Amino acid sequence: MSAALLNRLNPAVSSAIRLWSCRAPVIDHRSAALSHRRPPSVRFYSGVRESGAPLFRQLFESESSTYTYLLADTDTREAVLIDPVLETVDRDLKLINELGLKLIVAVNTHCHADHITGTGLLKKKVFGLKSCISKHSGAAADIQLSEGDRITFGKHCLTVRETPGHTDGCVTYVTGDQSMAFTGDALLIRGCGRTDFQQGCPKRLYESVHKKIFTLPGHCFIYPAHDYKGQTVSTVDEEKKFNPRLTKTLDEFVNIMNNLNLPNPKKIDISVPANLVCGLHDI
């Protein structure tokens, strides 16, 4: 299918084609520079796989509307799992085994309030697995992450960008070529995480998104931790243009966030205490 035809398709259809192909652009951890070997319309919307690109899967947990992301090096078979959910651990491990991968790291974008992470159970089931979370999260993990840290799997890596505001410990994981960003709850598709609990602060969140995420290349794909409307992926350019909250001024954004009046997540009383400790062991 030609790039011209794809560009005429509805964006949702174009994104679906890319996700169906389950291929991501090449990631080279030795350089943050973007590869220009393919025109952006082909590279980022048709799902054409470049030689050496990582394996990529987007998985979904329906009760909390959580996305879990699997990335792996196709040569070494080393894999990373982002934001695993307790209830879907067996599903994720089944896929990892089917694909012949070796899960080496399970990472969280933040300490979740709406579900229990699967990290602890994964550590029980996968020998040698390491857990990662921000050092500002207050949660236990094998590796405490800071700004600029890298999570390496084979020849690929994810770089940590601290994006607090939803919680103190929110981070965004960015691929080496800055073509994909896993934003947790800091930036959602046409939305953002709430700021009324877990040290939330609307001003910090606004600054985090504008300084750490909106400064990525415009075609960088945005993969959030949740979506409640069936959306799977966005881009930096889309959110800069169409996000109904983060296109406002700082004062307008703060006013919006301070007047959401949302009920607490149903599982907050069990999720947060569990997530603070299960990065080191099963709950």
Side-chain angles (χ1 to χ4, degrees):
M1 187 178 294
S2 70
L5 177 58
L6 283 168
N7 285 336
R8 291 198 297 270
L9 291 173
N10 182 287
V13 176
S14 299
S15 296
I17 291 173
R18 181 186 182 276
L19 291 169
W20 174 83
S21 72
C22 298
R23 297 294 185 263
V26 64
I27 296 176
D28 184 356
H29 73 277
R30 294 166 298 181
S31 172
L34 289 171
S35 169
H36 297 287
R37 287 179 289 175
R38 296 185 186 272
S41 60
V42 174
R43 184 179 181 204
F44 293 103
Y45 291 96
S46 70
V48 174
R49 178 178 178 175
E50 296 187 11
S51 177
L55 179 149
F56 172 63
R57 298 290 188 272
Q58 183 179 38
L59 306 165
F60 186 67
E61 193 281 312
S62 59
E63 183 179 0
S64 60
S65 297
T66 298
Y67 285 122
T68 296
Y69 299 99
L70 175 66
L71 292 158
D73 183 277
T74 56
D75 294 325
T76 66
R77 315 307 293 177
E78 290 182 338
V80 173
L81 201 61
I82 301 173
D83 284 337
V85 179
L86 180 65
E87 288 81 1
T88 52
V89 162
D90 288 340
R91 176 205 65 184
D92 298 347
L93 288 179
K94 183 176 183 290
L95 176 61
I96 288 167
N97 290 332
E98 287 174 345
L99 297 176
L101 305 177
K102 178 184 178 182
L103 184 62
I104 60 171
V105 180
V107 305
N108 282 286
T109 53
H110 62 293
C111 184
H112 305 277
D114 57 355
H115 68 273
I116 298 175
T117 177
T119 304
L121 185 56
L122 284 166
K123 284 178 63 64
K124 185 177 181 180
K125 291 175 175 281
V126 180
F127 179 77
L129 178 70
K130 299 296 183 183
S131 60
C132 300
I133 199 166
S134 166
K135 70 176 185 180
H136 304 296
S137 67
D142 297 310
I143 302 171
Q144 299 282 322
L145 298 168
S146 300
E147 177 77 20
D149 286 347
R150 291 188 171 191
I151 300 167
T152 301
F153 53 106
K155 61 180 172 293
H156 308 297
C157 79
L158 296 170
T159 300
V160 175
R161 292 193 176 199
E162 294 180 349
T163 48
H166 172 61
T167 74
D168 277 351
C170 286
V171 297
T172 291
Y173 299 109
V174 182
T175 55
D177 67 351
Q178 298 188 356
S179 65
M180 307 167 81
F182 302 90
T183 57
D185 283 12
L187 179 62
L188 305 178
I189 299 173
R190 308 301 191 265
C192 63
R194 58 196 293 181
T195 58
D196 56 340
F197 57 75
Q198 285 184 282
Q199 312 91 39
C201 175
K203 182 178 179 181
R204 290 187 78 193
L205 180 58
Y206 188 91
E207 292 175 346
S208 291
V209 172
H210 280 265
K211 293 179 180 179
K212 299 293 184 68
I213 300 176
F214 282 178
T215 53
L216 289 165
H219 53 241
C220 177
F221 280 114
I222 299 298
Y223 291 102
H226 302 279
D227 189 83
Y228 308 97
K229 299 179 180 179
Q231 302 167 115
T232 57
V233 62
S234 184
T235 67
V236 169
D237 268 349
E238 282 185 41
E239 296 308 313
K240 288 170 72 173
K241 293 176 182 177
F242 306 122
N243 192 294
R245 297 178 182 175
L246 288 153
T247 51
K248 306 294 186 183
T249 66
L250 173 57
D251 289 342
E252 290 172 330
F253 178 79
V254 170
N255 184 60
I256 291 171
M257 300 306 292
N258 285 341
N259 289 281
L260 293 179
N261 298 317
L262 299 172
N264 279 343
K266 294 179 181 179
K267 292 186 175 181
I268 188 171
D269 291 336
I270 60 172
S271 295
V272 173
N275 290 334
L276 288 173
V277 300
C278 69
L280 292 179
H281 53 78
D282 185 20
I283 59 172

